[in-house]
């Protein structure tokens, strides 16, 4: 058994897409990461987060049903849970944030449960870099692998703190526009080189429907997104990708580029399900057989066999 | 030996990118297709096109030096060669056309050389659909494979004619926006289904720096673009891709999805060189060793090995 510690939001989302509109539903980076990582055997996951008194027990049950340890989710009885609402444009590639209410997240002090302070893998979901640093400070044993997810918001308002946490991690996952912003370079190959110098040995650049790139020194690997007939709701796809990546790596004995290639394939695989229904719906029901079948589709999509002619 | 017949423009281009500006240089779809296809052994290529009296002999020599038959390139002594000029934006993903002078192309009647009327593979480069149809009408033997490249311009002004030629081809190569325009569907999976019903059994959707998708019935394959440190000039990349695709297929005995997967990899491979220098410069010097080395990079970029865990 290997331990995976996840820090991130557990939240309410209200989502509008060209296909419809939800009420307040279960959301949050740590929720998606946890649900995604729960598909790997021999991995014990725990979430460190904060919720308000308004957070329903059934959502917590949904996490514990997937064997996710929730003892690190602090409940502030007289507070309200973090809330985000957004509206996707017709192409589903861009969205407007309609409302963000930090609520209990504003004063969040993460507390890592005692029995997860020696976790082998730490997945730092998108949050203020100071919260991410605080989690790393609480670890009693150096993790085998620390994965950081972040976004442009922190580059705008907490760049120095972000640079600090970047020195202490192994893998960063960001999207293409964020990589360009962080590096000041348009070419993603050059971006990865510059970000590499900021700390992380492995750089994963997420390109949404255009797949994901993994960089390590002079090596590069590409995982496509599965071409889908319908994309229903992209919310959580990036976190689901990160959860699949971290979950797969937690399951492996060794940190290697070979294993990390598989990890980005698993991340893409799981993310391809996430977008098929609103919110976490699809991830809640997902079976091992479905994941395995889609893995075969990823092989068919990418594998070729060319003999070099004379 | 297998014969590949290429129809398309042989032209002058004037190109401006963030890295500089060219004079009038060699351009044209058939030029790029021909240079790309010339990298395959056991394939005899011929170009059907038209040029003016202003077209320099050295450009023609450049084609014959690569063993491309130019007897189907009509020279109109008192006419001027087709001219295009454009300026790329900073991201190199979009461009403005500054000038288009049809010149001798306005009255072009393609004449297929007698010894290429039995060509096994026909590559119909981007031109008016009526010219593409005229070439097919001149074939004395049904080709093993007909590949069509086209663009949004013909969808806007010659859609009926385009639909006619689409009924007579095997493979269509278009970019993602064009596939969406032609099908009226945003999802590329749905687009491919609809375009399939218009005639072509194989649909190649080019996504520029995001790679290319190959669809055939329920099968789909994806070839990434090689992540490059510098993209210097994207002009001709799509034609170079098509030339690599058609050249590889001309070299093969059989038309199959398996071979076509390799063909899109070769197309991506050759296109990755094209963009490294202005115009045709890079393609003129390209060696077999360089192509083979980059093929290994494509394997490293895409191939993975996952054993399904219990």
């Amino acid at each position: 058994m290997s331990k995976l510690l996840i820090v991130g939001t557990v939240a309410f989302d209200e989502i509008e897409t060209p296909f419809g509109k939800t009420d307040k539903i279960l959301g949050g980076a740590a929720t998606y990461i946890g649900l995604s990582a729960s598909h790997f055997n021999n991995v014990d996951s725990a979430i460190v987060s904060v919720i308000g008194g308004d957070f329903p027990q059934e959502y917590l049950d949904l996490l514990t049903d997937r064997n996710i340890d929730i003892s690190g989710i602090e409940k502030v009885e007289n507070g309200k849970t973090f809330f985000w609402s957004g509206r996707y444009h017709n192409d589903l590639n861009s969205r407007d944030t309609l409302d963000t209410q930090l609520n209990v997240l504003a004063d969040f002090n993460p507390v890592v449960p005692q029995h997860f302070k020696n976790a082998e893998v730490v997945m730092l979901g998108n949050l203020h870099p100071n919260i991410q640093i605080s989690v790393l400070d609480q670890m009693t044993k150096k993790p085998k692998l620390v994965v950081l997810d972040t976004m442009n918001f922190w580059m705008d308002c907490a760049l120095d703190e972000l640079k600090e946490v970047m020195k202490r991690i192994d893998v960063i996952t960001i999207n293409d526009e964020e990589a360009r912003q962080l590096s000041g370079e348009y070419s993603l190959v050059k971006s990865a080189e510059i970000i590499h110098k900021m700390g992380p040995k492995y750089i994963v650049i997420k390109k949404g429907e255009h797949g994901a790139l993994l960089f390590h020194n002079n090596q590069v690997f590409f995982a496509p997104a599965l071409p889908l007939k319908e994309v229903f709701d992209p919310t959580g796809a990036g976190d689901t990708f990160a959860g699949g990546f971290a979950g797969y790596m937690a399951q492996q004995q060794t940190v290697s580029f070979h294993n990390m290639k598989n990890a980005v394939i698993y991340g893409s695989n799981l993310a391809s399900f996430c977008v098929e229904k609103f919110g976490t719906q699809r991830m809640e029901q997902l079976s091992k057989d479905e994941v395995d079948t889609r893995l075969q589709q990823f092989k068919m999509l990418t594998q070729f066999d060319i003999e070099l002619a004379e």
Side-chain angles (χ1 to χ4, degrees), chain A:
Chain A
M1 273 302 199
S2 182
K3 288 180 187 171
L4 168 63
L5 179 68
I6 300 161
V7 58
T9 53
V10 172
F12 290 129
D13 283 350
E14 205 173 87
I15 303 159
E16 204 177 323
T17 81
F19 309 107
K21 191 176 178 312
T22 69
D23 295 325
K24 266 189 182 181
I25 58 171
L26 174 61
T31 305
Y32 283 102
I33 294 169
L35 288 175
S36 183
S38 72
H39 284 276
F40 298 91
N41 297 328
N42 304 317
V43 177
D44 274 338
S45 298
I47 289 177
V48 170
S49 193
V50 63
I51 53 176
D54 55 350
F55 198 76
Q57 183 61 37
E58 59 169 297
Y59 286 167
L60 291 174
D61 292 346
L62 196 149
L63 297 175
T64 46
D65 285 352
R66 309 284 319 199
N67 289 316
I68 299 167
D69 185 314
I70 61 164
S71 62
I73 302 183
E74 181 195 357
K75 188 165 191 168
V76 180
E77 287 295 350
N78 61 351
K80 287 178 72 182
T81 301
F82 174 60
F83 172 74
W84 174 83
S85 85
R87 182 190 293 135
Y88 287 88
H89 301 157
N90 275 334
D91 65 3
L92 291 174
N93 275 325
S94 53
R95 67 186 186 192
D96 295 323
T97 289
L98 303 177
D99 194 6
T100 306
Q101 297 170 17
L102 282 185
N103 297 332
V104 293
L105 202 64
D107 302 308
F108 176 39
N109 272 314
V111 178
V112 178
Q114 195 59 38
H115 54 298
F116 267 86
K117 288 186 176 173
N118 62 351
E120 282 83 2
V121 177
V122 177
M123 174 73 231
L124 302 171
N126 174 39
L127 272 176
H128 194 294
N130 284 345
I131 297 178
Q132 297 175 319
I133 288 172
S134 163
V135 167
L136 292 184
D137 286 343
Q138 294 174 56
M139 303 306 287
T140 52
K141 195 181 134 194
K142 187 178 161 55
K144 194 171 68 179
L145 191 74
V146 180
V147 184
L148 170 91
D149 190 51
T150 189
M151 69 184 295
N152 50 359
F153 182 75
W154 309 116
M155 296 172 199
D156 293 335
C157 75
L159 185 59
D160 288 344
E161 295 92 328
L162 177 60
K163 284 186 175 169
E164 278 311 304
V165 67
M166 281 179 65
K167 290 178 190 162
R168 298 174 59 179
I169 60 159
D170 302 290
V171 186
I172 186 171
T173 71
I174 43 176
N175 75 29
D176 42 2
E177 284 317 308
E178 290 157 356
R180 287 173 175 137
Q181 178 174 347
L182 189 56
S183 66
E185 284 286 349
Y186 185 82
S187 153
L188 297 178
V189 178
K190 285 189 188 176
S191 290
E193 281 180 2
I194 288 171
I195 295 169
H196 179 57
K197 286 180 190 150
M198 296 177 176
K201 291 182 286 294
Y202 300 89
I203 295 108
V204 177
I205 299 182
K206 300 175 286 182
K207 304 200 296 171
E209 62 162 332
H210 299 303
L213 285 160
L214 166 67
F215 292 93
H216 175 58
N217 297 331
N218 292 322
Q219 295 176 286
V220 53
F221 179 71
F222 178 76
L226 197 70
L228 295 170
K229 221 163 170 167
E230 308 267 14
V231 171
F232 205 74
D233 172 18
T235 309
D239 296 313
T240 301
F241 174 90
F245 181 91
Y248 182 83
M249 289 309 293
Q251 199 186 44
Q252 308 311 306
Q253 293 299 314
T254 51
V255 172
S256 68
F257 191 70
H258 175 271
N259 285 341
M260 235 173 260
K261 292 200 289 187
N262 293 350
V264 294
I265 291 290
Y266 263 102
S268 298
N269 184 342
L270 287 155
S272 75
F273 289 103
C274 177
V275 301
E276 290 184 336
K277 292 199 175 176
F278 265 123
T280 57
Q281 275 180 56
R282 188 69 177 92
M283 298 310 291
E284 293 169 27
Q285 319 152 334
L286 191 57
S287 74
K288 183 175 180 333
D289 273 359
E290 288 176 303
V291 177
D292 287 352
T293 301
R294 199 156 281 189
L295 189 60
Q296 294 302 328
Q297 286 180 267
F298 269 88
K299 285 191 184 183
M300 308 250 294
L301 181 66
T302 56
Q303 305 302 287
F304 60 91
D305 181 25
I306 296 182
E307 297 297 323
L308 289 184
E310 281 313 299

